[in-house]
Amino acid sequence: MKESLWKQTYENILIGMGFIGITLNFLFLNQLLPFIGILLVFTGFRKLRRENQWFQIGYAGAGLKVVITIVSIVLGAVLGHEEIYASYVWKVIAFCGGILPIALVSCFFFGTRQELRKRQMNIKYEVLIHIIIWYVAMVVLAAWNYQGLILALIIIAAYIGILVELKHLAEQLEQAGYVLEEQPVWISDGKYVGGAVMVTVAGLIISYLFLDSYHMEWTMVKESQDPVSEEIKDHLLSLGLPEDILNDLTEEDLLECKNARQVFVERDDYPMNDGVKVVSGTEGYTQYSTEYPQKELKLSGAAIELEQKGQWKVIHHFLWNGNPGFRGTEAVQINPAYQELNGGWTFQGKLTGQVLYDKDGTSYTAEYASLQNEAYDTNQNFPFYGSQQYASIFAEFSMPHRGENCRGYVAYEIKAKESDWWIDSWLNYTHQKTIWQYPVISAAQNRKQGGWLNERVFSTVQDALQVLPEGERENSVGVGM
């Protein structure tokens, strides 16, 4: 026997409400299920919109929820969507989106109740009371920031119970002889659903192609003709500062190094690829290893003692010798020498640096999208440890889609509080390897979340500058004045 249109409709609405209210945080189901759910609810209320004013209100509310859901999904693919989420406007939108599901359930209840009254059938308000209690409980748990499992399962079970009660209510209406008739429409439900899917996909494509990296203000590098700058360069070269680092310094940083006393440098090459798997073995013993014939990233650390004794400029420099591959977001995280508690260094001045690249024989430069000292919470809740508080220097940027020798540096100044303290400055360079991630986070956000949580998308290498100013450290270049 063919199901009635009314039964098909209320089942779609209740199934859709189930998808909206119960989500799973894996395989993108936390986005897909609510999207499918609200489309089911919308098409269901669309068939009912001419029956009474409650179903009409539900239809309008479902349409609004469709729009909010699409916008929310698309924003997840936009770099920096956290700032949008933190805005007052979005908080109002999110609040509306949060209360709409319970409003839609209530509209379905009142609409069904009105149709039953037309047929001289009285119903009790237990379902409505359960809806209100359930919503109040959700608000309390959200305000409490509850993350336990037991109460969550109870809430889910109660929600399913409410949907079952509504199903029984809809069955009573059908038993009372209610018949829902198909109304002629200009646009079919399938076209509405297809349009919503196409808008969502188009929004995601635009976001991934144009809104997944930082906007960098690139300008052509102007060669300095200042004889003072040239004299400082010659002096720093004589102290052992590599020419490639020297040529990338801004005029401001270069002038601060006038009459520098000594220079220490440490540098190394690092692979930013998966390497080559090698299998070797003798006499039944098999050994598996990974070799890296190509090392695309050169990281350098330089400590320059300035004219005033005990005052140093620390420079962390990076240079891509090979093709970086995908160019999304990059992050330089520095744990500076002055950060050590009760250490022997204090921070002086400000953070400086720039990003550069070459194209067709011309060099271009830009400021970092963000360069600041940040305190952050890893937001990792381990079984035995809570989230950890850290502070680091973060330099965030994006490389151009076309360009060679992508490079840059971050510099800061320190002053000695006590003698015989090592300059111990650590760098983590994080590179985004692929576009395929959702929701989109930056390389810096990956580091702030612990760094190891998403190795498929991001790759990180670590480098350190460790020198003792009072002498020359092995494997360092240093010439005292």
Side-chain angles (χ1 to χ4, degrees), residues 35 39 70 74 190-206:
F35 182 60
L39 291 178
I70 292 175
V74 172
K191 290 183 178 179
Y192 266 113
V193 171
V197 172
M198 289 178 62
V199 169
T200 304
V201 171
L204 289 172
I205 292 174
I206 292 172

Side-chain angles (χ1 to χ4, degrees), residues 180-201:
L180 177 64
E181 296 182 357
E182 189 81 53
Q183 300 291 334
V185 292
W186 287 98
I187 303 175
S188 66
D189 290 345
K191 290 183 178 179
Y192 266 113
V193 171
V197 172
M198 289 178 62
V199 169
T200 304
V201 171

Side-chain angles (χ1 to χ4, degrees), residues 247-277:
N247 290 335
D248 290 341
L249 297 182
T250 64
E251 193 77 8
E252 178 184 5
D253 281 328
L254 189 62
L255 292 175
E256 289 176 353
C257 295
K258 184 178 181 180
N259 298 326
R261 303 171 63 87
Q262 59 180 329
V263 172
F264 292 95
V265 177
E266 291 185 338
R267 53 193 342 196
D268 204 351
D269 294 321
Y270 295 90
M272 297 298 281
N273 56 76
D274 296 330
V276 178
K277 304 299 180 183

Side-chain angles (χ1 to χ4, degrees), residues 41 88 106 115 125 133 139 146 203 226 293 310 315 327 372 376 382 391 414 417 443 460 477:
V41 173
Y88 176 78
S106 301
E115 293 302 317
Y125 285 84
I133 293 174
V139 171
Y146 178 77
D226 185 1
I315 299 172
R327 307 189 184 202
Q372 58 185 337
Y376 62 96
F382 297 104
I414 52 177
K417 294 190 296 184
T460 298
V477 178

Side-chain angles (χ1 to χ4, degrees), residues 7-38:
K7 184 176 182 181
Q8 295 175 22
T9 301
Y10 75 69
E11 284 183 347
N12 282 349
I13 292 176
L14 296 179
I15 291 172
M17 293 306 303
F19 284 176
I20 294 172
I22 303 172
T23 59
L24 303 173
N25 290 320
F26 61 91
L27 298 177
F28 308 111
L29 292 179
N30 58 327
Q31 300 291 340
L32 290 174
L33 290 182
F35 182 60
I36 295 171
I38 192 56

Side-chain angles (χ1 to χ4, degrees), residues 244 296-299 317-321 405-408:
D244 58 331
E296 304 96 328
L297 184 64
K298 179 183 289 294
L299 297 178
H317 183 272
F318 63 88
L319 168 64
W320 282 90
N321 293 314
N405 298 323
C406 298
R407 60 200 187 274

Side-chain angles (χ1 to χ4, degrees), residues 214-222 248 250 318 352-357 363-371 395-400 407-410:
Y214 299 110
H215 176 67
M216 306 290 291
E217 297 287 348
W218 297 104
T219 58
M220 190 180 302
V221 175
K222 297 180 180 179
D248 290 341
T250 64
F318 63 88
T352 58
Q354 63 178 345
V355 192
L356 304 101
Y357 78 95
S363 295
Y364 298 86
T365 181
E367 295 182 353
Y368 285 100
S370 174
L371 175 59
E396 304 175 44
F397 65 100
S398 291
M399 293 182 285
R407 60 200 187 274
Y409 76 94
V410 175

